[in-house]
Amino acid sequence: MRFSDRRQAGRALARRLRTLADEGALPDPVVLALPRGGVAVAREVADALGAPLDVIVVRKIGAPSHEEFAVGALAGDGVPLFDPRTLRMLGLDPGDLTAVVERERAELRRRERVYRQGRAAPELAGRTVIVVDDGLATGATARAALRSVRRRAPARTVLAVPVCSPEGASSLAGEADDVVCLHRPAGFLAVGEWYDDFAQLTDEDVLAALHPSAGPDATGQGPGRGGAAGV
């Protein structure tokens, strides 16, 4: 199974979730997207479910001098979640990453301000919260997102992605009430390999997806566009 782009992946994911909703498994849903890449997928899901769409901003915590190598993740006002095994392998402890965490928290808050445009975060208490990304690799960012959501007392949490690593999905089984993944390839290497179009999304693309009336391309998926890989 491959996807042409995030919009097509979102429509396929929406069909699966629509079936669950018709069975009564997703009462009073709200959809939270992990920006940037997850927003284009989540727009399709929210439209199919008739649910509100918002974001839950998560920032990867990279190793010093090697920012692309994730050692943890940060969501909302929560404490950073570190991977103890990775820290041991690199000879690090959380105190070594204080500056990185502060920088990523500042960027997290900037993105929340930009994406929400003064709107308050949605009320999640007692609702079914569907956390959506464009894919799942290690599960680090999804875990941080789900734990942040749980602190806001939802009735039910669902993680929904078009493609995921089997290991990543298994590691999150205890973090969400349900994990919905359309494709779990045994030979998974990276999220982007399962998309024909997986280029970078911008803040403007995210705003277009969150506020469809702002432009003709509601998902921000023009030619050659896409978003950051799920982690």
Side-chain angles (χ1 to χ4, degrees):
M1 179 184 293
R2 287 183 60 82
F3 304 104
S4 59
D5 58 21
R6 289 174 180 79
R7 293 178 65 180
Q8 188 259 324
R11 289 191 291 270
L13 187 61
R15 287 192 291 271
R16 174 74 62 85
L17 292 168
R18 182 70 256 177
T19 298
L20 294 176
D22 290 344
E23 295 171 351
L26 304 175
D28 194 17
V30 57
V31 178
L32 297 184
L34 273 72
R36 296 183 175 108
V39 179
V41 178
R43 177 77 268 169
E44 302 291 338
V45 171
D47 287 349
L49 297 179
L53 172 63
D54 205 289
V55 293
I56 179 161
V57 182
V58 180
R59 295 296 296 167
K60 178 175 62 178
I61 300 171
S65 303
H66 193 36
E67 295 181 358
E68 290 305 311
F69 189 83
V71 298
L74 177 70
D77 294 323
V79 299
L81 296 181
F82 293 108
D83 181 345
R85 183 174 61 178
T86 302
L87 290 181
R88 287 194 301 270
M89 181 181 70
L90 297 176
L92 297 171
D93 63 55
D96 297 324
L97 298 160
T98 299
V100 177
V101 171
E102 290 178 353
R103 184 176 69 246
E104 294 300 344
R105 196 182 294 278
E107 174 62 13
L108 184 155
R109 288 171 175 160
R110 183 198 71 81
R111 291 195 184 197
E112 287 182 335
R113 289 193 300 270
V114 170
Y115 298 158
R116 292 214 170 94
Q117 298 187 326
R119 294 178 294 108
E123 178 59 53
L124 304 183
R127 305 190 71 173
T128 298
V129 179
I130 305 170
V131 176
V132 177
D133 203 356
D134 53 13
L136 176 72
T138 65
T141 54
R143 179 175 291 103
L146 289 166
R147 291 190 183 183
S148 179
V149 166
R150 282 200 176 278
R151 289 194 292 272
R152 295 159 67 183
R156 180 174 174 78
T157 58
V158 178
L159 175 65
V161 294
V163 62
C164 63
S165 70
E167 297 80 10
S170 296
S171 73
L172 293 175
E175 301 286 353
D177 294 303
D178 194 9
V179 176
V180 176
C181 177
L182 300 182
H183 186 37
R184 304 187 185 199
F188 184 97
L189 294 176
V191 173
E193 67 177 331
W194 301 100
Y195 286 84
D196 295 329
D197 178 356
F198 199 69
Q200 190 81 359
L201 278 177
T202 66
D203 285 347
E204 290 74 19
D205 295 327
V206 172
L207 289 171
L210 292 174
H211 311 283
S213 61
D217 186 358
T219 63
Q221 288 258 68
R225 311 193 83 150
V231 177

